[in-house]
Amino acid sequence: MVVSRVMLLLFLTAQGFDGLFTYTAVHAYGLHAEGNVLIATWMALVGPAAALFGAKTVAAACGILLYARGMHRTLFLLTVVYIVAAIGPWMMVFVNH
């Protein structure tokens, strides 16, 4: 049970950092820094902060739902994918610039 709670915390933390890193990159490089066309479109319509807050809120709610449903293995896999596919690339961008 403790491990699954830690995984939920890591998932939520990854969402927060991805939102922060994305906002920082969009502020520095423009909307084209966002690779997700749907999120980039929402950024153009409502602004980066509102679009990212909405997207990360939905993602966090989905993670909490997975946790509540006992789908801890799925939450673990999504957390790993997020760290590797979302946080990792932003870290490389910021380290190289």
Side-chain angles (χ1 to χ4, degrees):
M1 190 61 131
V2 172
V3 173
S4 60
R5 287 184 184 175
V6 169
M7 192 51 53
L8 176 61
L9 181 62
L10 286 173
F11 178 81
L12 296 174
T13 301
Q15 293 299 319
F17 275 110
D18 182 48
L20 178 66
F21 291 162
T22 303
Y23 181 81
T24 301
V26 167
H27 184 70
Y29 305 115
L31 290 179
H32 65 275
E34 173 55 56
N36 183 326
V37 176
L38 181 61
I39 301 298
T41 301
W42 276 104
M43 286 181 181
L45 294 172
V46 300
L52 287 169
F53 181 78
K56 296 302 152 188
T57 300
V58 169
C62 290
I64 292 168
L65 181 62
L66 287 172
Y67 174 81
R69 294 280 189 168
M71 301 178 75
H72 302 142
R73 194 170 293 164
T74 303
L75 186 60
F76 169 77
L77 291 173
L78 285 173
T79 302
V80 170
V81 167
Y82 230 89
I83 289 170
V84 170
I87 304 297
W90 282 132
M91 293 300 294
M92 296 303 293
V93 167
F94 294 133
V95 166
N96 290 325
H97 285 85

